[in-house]
Amino acid sequence: MPIIPARLEHSADGVPYSSTFDDIYHSADGALGQAQHVFLAGNALPERWQGREHFVILETGFGLGLNFLATWAAWRADPQRCKRLHFVSCELHPFSTEDLARVHARWPQLAAQADALCAQWPALTPGLHRLHLDNDQVTLTLYFGDAREGLAQLLARADAFYLDGFSPARNPELWSARIFHLLARLAAPGATLATWSVAGEVREGLRRAGFEVRKAAGFGGKRQMLCGILANSETRSQTDEQALPARGHALIVGAGLAGCSMAERLAARGWTIELIDQAAGPANGASGNLAGVLRPLPSLDDNRMSRLTRAGTLHGWAHIARLRARGLAVQADACGVLHLARDGAQAAKMQAVVERLGLPASHLSHVDADAAARIAGCTVAAGGWWFAGSGWVQPPSLCAANLAASGQSLHTHFGRKLAQLERQGGLWHAYDDQHRLIAAAPVVILAAGVGVLELDTGMRLPVVSARGQVSLLPAASASPPRVVVCRGGYVSPEIDGLRCAGATFDVDDSEPALRARDHADNLGKLEAMLPGFTHGLDATALRGRVGFRPASPDRLPMIGALPADGTAAPRAELAGLARQAGLHVLSGYGARGLVWTTLAAESLASALCAEPLPLERDLWEALDPGRFLLRPPRPGRTAE
Ligand SMILES: Cc1cc2nc3c(=O)[nH]c(=O)nc-3n(C[C@H](O)[C@H](O)[C@H](O)COP(=O)(O)OP(=O)(O)OC[C@H]3O[C@@H](n4cnc5c(N)ncnc54)[C@H](O)[C@@H]3O)c2cc1C
Ligand SMILES: C[S@@+](CC[C@H](N)C(=O)[O-])C[C@H]1O[C@@H](n2cnc3c(N)ncnc32)[C@H](O)[C@@H]1O
């Protein structure tokens, strides 16, 4: 369902108002006073987050984000604040950045937080969005869509709930029995709730869902409000907190896109990292190309691939922006990507996808051949999809920036090939082929690309090696195409005097040397996209690069804990599969390493730290390496 943005309106007395719901966004007696009295104090905050490693707040309606901003400001002002604050919220009708900024301007005391929020405000696309704020210590996870679906898809344990829909009479969906039961399912032991509503059906619904509720003194003109606690649950104990692997220590095997992103995400959480790679430095495997494309793959039914690649693309570009804001150089350009239609039938389908999904034009639109040619600056074979916010990234520069961002907690072990992993006394020991210890830690993450095939992982992952060759073409500065163009293959704009055109895809072909026929193949794809473009290019005289993609049978990566038993269990459930203690994998990135790398690392890091996940439940399960035990890949099926 396309997201319909909220329209900024005001009531007669100047309070932000929704004509869709015929209600105001916050108490006429003051938004911040209400946030402070009802939501913070009603959940015994800031006291309850003090001394904690992390604290999770879940809100039902994000609206103008004023509760969030007030909570963030209170957290900042508290010297005993928890180390990391997670705020998770759902919003069916998000505001545009401009409208948010307009409203926030009324509260100059929140300007720093409001500006940071607006600077990262995501595209209004359905699903989960994660924002990293305040030096990565405050994480905002937003679900754009109906909370009834969002809460069912959320993987989180909330310590406090802010129930803030419009009034139950005007917005009953947000106060329904279904919502209350979903909240109870997401509640951590000792979870509390607060709301300004004391409506009888709200109290009764919460009780039925398992909360004990009581009335308390209300805010402003409201005599009463409601506070609650999850019944029959002990307050989160010291032992619960100690069970969290805070300030952990991990071995990461592989310093390509997968491993470097993982190092950065764990380092941001204070972990110590031992990064092992057989090569002399990072990005020497599949991640060593001059440029790759970072863009989504939409579908008519917005299937998992479509949702995952959209989330991965948006998260990936936001991460690059954050790295750059820290002064780290990532060579990349969101110059836009044209995906040309193969034929008339595909052109019609592409147009139908754009209409059906109704995504913001900054993310996806449809252009005819003339418009595509104007965008590219040269003749193109057809029209197609225009991803205005997508573009190219140089993978080695992203790897280097991620490692630089990891700082002092990163220890690199380059030029060391992992031959064996042994678990002794709660630690995984990594040995080389002489049985010399490289490093040891309680957690291992295998991010070894196709190298995972040589490692004894218990379960044999169905990764296949897919050889790919790119061709590097000489290019004059700012010559067309000025954007990435793809269709079967892809070509980048000019980058440092070269243009990257690719790529071949050959499964189980281990030839490391460049081949003229593969260059010819790349030129053939290029000519089909940009007629006349390859005139004068000699396939026997081109430079290029060969890499081996770790491809997956269903084209989705494998992210998460490795099953303990590698035998097929078609009747089991993912949650029921026994896992190997502390052994995780990031693999199967195939032809979309740039798309997966940041979101996969953030997801696995969140799972390792028992934090809310940035992915919906069905998407996270679709990536579980255990899925192949439930439905083994069909014989003969290859990736891409
Ligand atoms: C030609 C080509 C074009 C591509 N184009 C695109 C594109 O346009 N867009 C896109 O998103 N993706 C693209 N990709 C895919 C993307 O590059 C890969 O998905 C990604 O690089 C995989 O990253 P990785 O970290 O899993 O693997 P790698 O980058 O291969 O890293 C694995 C690392 O593990 C190390 N290693 C392996 N075994 C061991 C061991 N036993 N001990 C120690 N170290 C070990 C290796 O040395 C290597 O450095 C392309 C790939 C190729 C080859
Ligand atoms: C009272 S306002 C929230 C104010 C907000 N907490 C703040 O601090 O600014 C209620 C919000 O709930 C949203 N909402 C209503 N129904 C929803 C639903 N089914 N799913 C998600 N959000 C919904 C509305 O669009 C609105 O933004």
Side-chain angles (χ1 to χ4, degrees):
M1 279 279 285
I3 293 294
I4 301 168
R7 208 153 39 99
L8 183 57
E9 302 161 272
H10 290 92
S11 64
D13 46 0
V15 181
Y17 164 84
S18 162
S19 53
T20 309
F21 292 94
D22 186 22
D23 202 359
I24 47 176
Y25 274 86
H26 57 75
S27 161
D29 296 308
L32 297 195
Q34 177 181 280
Q36 189 60 49
H37 180 91
V38 176
F39 295 107
L40 280 152
N43 278 296
L45 296 173
E47 299 79 18
R48 281 184 57 236
W49 66 39
Q50 290 175 348
R52 293 272 303 267
E53 195 60 38
H54 73 240
F55 193 87
V56 180
I57 296 172
L58 201 165
E59 181 185 55
T60 48
F62 189 76
L64 297 158
L66 293 168
N67 288 340
F68 168 64
L69 294 177
T71 303
W72 181 6
W75 176 87
R76 278 192 74 103
D78 180 5
Q80 295 179 64
R81 59 184 173 256
C82 54
K83 294 206 175 85
R84 289 170 66 87
L85 178 67
H86 276 274
F87 197 98
V88 184
S89 192
C90 298
E91 183 49 62
L92 184 58
H93 299 300
F95 281 99
S96 67
T97 324
E98 296 72 29
D99 282 346
L100 281 182
R102 210 164 290 143
V103 174
H104 294 166
R106 287 195 199 169
W107 289 277
Q109 67 272 43
L110 295 177
Q113 286 84 30
D115 289 351
L117 173 65
C118 286
Q120 285 200 37
W121 190 243
L124 305 191
T125 58
L128 280 175
H129 299 264
R130 172 157 290 185
L131 282 64
H132 301 273
L133 301 155
D134 221 342
N135 215 5
D136 240 311
Q137 289 173 298
V138 175
T139 305
L140 174 62
T141 306
L142 285 167
Y143 179 81
F144 286 165
D146 194 319
R148 289 170 292 186
E149 286 152 34
L151 295 175
Q153 285 275 23
L154 209 61
L155 288 161
R157 279 270 168 265
D159 299 297
F161 296 103
Y162 292 4
L163 272 56
D164 196 15
F166 288 119
S167 83
R170 296 184 170 125
N171 189 193
E173 318 80 86
L174 222 45
W175 305 91
S176 61
R178 174 169 164 75
I179 292 279
F180 296 149
H181 279 98
L182 288 170
L183 296 182
R185 190 181 60 76
L186 289 163
T192 59
L193 67 85
T195 178
W196 45 265
S197 172
V198 285
E201 64 270 24
V202 170
R203 283 182 283 135
E204 188 50 30
L206 285 167
R207 274 199 200 102
R208 281 174 193 259
F211 292 96
E212 285 167 9
V213 292
R214 64 180 170 81
K215 289 180 183 168
F219 170 72
K222 272 202 165 290
R223 205 163 55 83
Q224 294 176 315
M225 58 171 272
L226 213 60
C227 297
I229 184 162
L230 186 68
N232 306 320
S233 78
E234 315 245 308
T235 314
R236 186 186 271 261
S237 66
Q238 198 67 18
T239 345
D240 286 330
E241 272 286 298
Q242 281 160 2
L244 295 176
R247 305 280 177 269
H249 186 195
L251 299 178
I252 300 179
V253 186
L257 283 171
C260 295
S261 299
M262 193 68 216
E264 190 276 333
R265 286 293 78 212
L266 287 179
R269 288 165 166 85
W271 283 45
T272 303
I273 317 295
E274 313 291 338
L275 180 65
I276 303 171
D277 201 296
Q278 63 198 7
N284 273 288
S287 309
N289 282 346
L290 174 68
V293 192
L294 173 49
R295 60 102 183 196
L297 186 68
S299 72
L300 203 53
D301 58 352
D302 204 22
N303 60 24
R304 288 176 185 182
M305 176 66 87
S306 169
R307 289 162 57 212
L308 275 164
T309 55
R310 179 167 68 234
T313 300
L314 292 170
H315 200 74
W317 284 111
H319 180 63
I320 289 170
R322 279 196 308 280
L323 289 170
R324 285 175 165 168
R326 293 176 61 180
L328 298 163
V330 183
Q331 250 205 308
D333 190 5
C335 53
V337 176
L338 274 172
H339 181 149
L340 309 181
R342 215 174 24 243
D343 50 32
Q346 201 195 18
K349 196 173 157 197
M350 285 172 137
Q351 190 148 10
V353 169
V354 172
E355 282 161 18
R356 172 83 65 88
L357 298 185
L359 297 167
S362 58
H363 186 76
L364 172 67
S365 59
H366 187 267
V367 288
D368 62 19
D370 288 343
R374 276 196 300 279
I375 289 169
C378 60
T379 307
V380 297
W385 281 328
W386 170 232
F387 302 98
S390 294
W392 61 268
V393 180
Q394 190 201 54
S397 72
L398 180 55
C399 291
N402 275 325
L403 295 191
S406 305
Q408 300 296 317
S409 47
L410 172 70
H411 305 142
T412 55
H413 305 265
F414 289 126
R416 304 294 301 272
K417 179 167 176 160
L418 172 77
Q420 204 182 345
L421 275 172
E422 281 176 21
R423 193 166 159 86
Q424 299 151 3
L427 292 183
W428 286 99
H429 292 70
Y431 295 103
D432 67 12
D433 50 6
Q434 313 281 311
H435 208 70
R436 287 178 306 209
L437 183 69
I438 306 172
V443 172
V444 178
I445 294 146
L446 300 174
V450 291
V452 78
L453 291 166
E454 290 176 34
L455 298 173
D456 180 9
T457 54
M459 171 193 170
R460 191 179 156 72
L461 291 165
V463 171
V464 292
S465 168
R467 180 187 183 279
Q469 180 171 319
V470 284
S471 308
L472 297 175
L473 319 178
S477 172
S479 58
R482 294 186 289 258
V483 301
V484 178
V485 185
C486 51
R487 178 173 90 171
Y490 63 86
V491 62
S492 75
E494 178 266 333
I495 306 164
D496 298 336
L498 291 171
R499 192 180 294 291
C500 190
T504 58
F505 193 99
D506 296 295
V507 171
D508 288 336
D509 174 347
S510 55
E511 173 58 62
L514 288 168
R515 288 194 293 237
R517 74 173 149 87
D518 287 20
H519 282 320
D521 190 50
N522 287 336
L523 292 183
K525 286 181 195 143
L526 181 53
E527 184 63 24
M529 292 190 286
L530 306 177
F533 193 84
T534 63
H535 182 73
L537 289 172
D538 177 2
T540 61
L542 289 178
R543 290 162 58 194
R545 188 174 187 279
V546 173
F548 297 90
R549 308 171 183 92
S552 149
D554 58 7
R555 300 187 298 147
L556 292 177
M558 300 153 199
I559 299 160
L562 275 165
D565 179 359
T567 50
R571 280 190 201 84
E573 299 211 341
L574 277 177
L577 290 180
R579 308 286 170 154
Q580 301 191 54
L583 187 55
H584 305 265
V585 70
L586 286 170
S587 190
Y589 283 17
R592 298 200 173 83
L594 287 165
V595 180
W596 308 129
T597 186
T598 308
L599 189 55
E602 174 63 14
S603 302
L604 184 53
S606 302
L608 286 170
C609 296
E611 296 170 7
L613 259 77
L615 276 178
E616 288 99 310
R617 176 188 296 272
D618 65 332
L619 300 183
W620 178 238
E621 290 178 352
L623 307 181
D624 191 319
R627 69 189 184 272
F628 298 107
L629 297 179
L630 312 188
R631 46 175 177 84
R634 278 176 280 154
R637 180 109 198 270
T638 56
E640 300 270 274

